[in-house]
Amino acid sequence: MNTALRTPRVVTVIAVVALAFLALPALAVLIRTPWSSFLHTLSSPEVAQAIWLSLRTSAATVILALIFGIPTAVLLSRLTGARAGWSRALVVLPLVLPPTVAGVALLAAYGGNGVLTAPFGIQLSFTTIAVILAQLFVAMPFLIITVEGALRGHGNQLAEAAAVLGASPKAILWRVTLRQIRPAIVAGSILCWARALGEFGATITFAGSFPGISQTLPTEVYLLLQTQPELAYSVSVVFILVSLTVVIALRRSWVGAVRDHA
């Protein structure tokens, strides 16, 4: 091995400390989990109800994110100059907002006295729809950014060839361009789903925590931590397993993307 490429020992030590710092919390949860009652905890009515609600709302969020996010990503990939900068800033804004502020913003827009809902007498806050809106607000940017990056990075040779052959812009987009970036769409969808599943701050602020209506799995973990910490550890294991699955799935998507562009 080239001596110039050897990693300095101090760098290795610092990196190992950092990796241990990142891994220890998850390992601690696994150690603290009462495995003898793990399945019983997950099958309890309250937890099962929260799991089912989280799965339903996060699935609905991904569907809506695909419907609205892909066209947004296409538009962003074709904008230039100040318009592109401002539009991208609006997409990224939910990612940098504190979760509770995101919830307050959603209340201001879509709550009982919301700017958009009050004139029509619509009440969206503290409902299951509010859960989906909160998840969509914080999770859709992951899909948009991932797809936009892929659109900007892929070549236009096939699209140009299709245009020469007489294909319409709509056909080129759906049959050529989006097919080329399928790994990125899959990766963005998985990221979006994982973020929606784990959303807590905006959800509890905008939708509350009502069993069967807006009490998702993250809010269930929070409530259990106040009264039954051991049960909170058991439910947290679900998120750790989901996160590991997401990492593995994204790795496969990234590998697929690399192979497609190779």
Side-chain angles (χ1 to χ4, degrees), residues 169-182:
K170 182 178 178 180
I172 293 172
L173 174 64
W174 292 104
R175 297 182 182 180
V176 179
T177 304
L178 294 183
R179 283 189 179 184
Q180 285 184 286
I181 62 165
R182 276 184 299 183

Side-chain angles (χ1 to χ4, degrees), residues 110-129:
Y110 308 111
N113 295 317
V115 173
L116 297 178
T117 52
F120 304 98
I122 299 173
Q123 171 65 31
L124 296 178
S125 54
F126 308 109
T127 63
T128 302
I129 294 176

Side-chain angles (χ1 to χ4, degrees), residues 29-30 33-55 216-218 220-221 224 228-242:
V29 170
L30 297 177
T33 298
W35 293 102
S36 59
S37 59
F38 178 71
L39 293 178
H40 176 72
T41 299
L42 296 186
S43 62
S44 65
E46 297 82 4
V47 174
Q49 189 176 58
I51 291 174
W52 176 234
L53 179 63
S54 291
L55 292 176
T216 58
L217 200 54
E220 179 69 14
V221 171
L224 287 174
Q228 304 176 74
E230 290 188 350
L231 299 185
Y233 293 136
S234 296
V235 180
S236 296
V237 169
V238 175
F239 283 107
I240 293 175
L241 295 177
V242 168

Side-chain angles (χ1 to χ4, degrees), residues 72 75-91 148 152:
T72 303
L75 178 63
L76 285 178
S77 69
R78 297 178 179 180
L79 289 177
T80 58
R83 291 186 303 170
W86 283 108
S87 300
R88 194 172 294 106
L90 291 175
V91 170
E148 185 208 352
R152 287 185 177 273

Side-chain angles (χ1 to χ4, degrees), residues 207-232:
S209 181
F210 301 99
I213 298 175
S214 60
Q215 190 168 301
T216 58
L217 200 54
T219 57
E220 179 69 14
V221 171
Y222 177 77
L223 295 174
L224 287 174
L225 191 61
Q226 313 304 313
T227 57
Q228 304 176 74
E230 290 188 350
L231 299 185

Side-chain angles (χ1 to χ4, degrees), residues 131-154:
V131 174
I132 297 173
L133 291 177
Q135 292 177 349
L136 186 66
F137 184 72
V138 301
M140 185 165 62
F142 287 93
L143 174 66
I144 295 174
I145 292 172
T146 304
V147 174
E148 185 208 352
L151 286 169
R152 287 185 177 273
H154 89 285

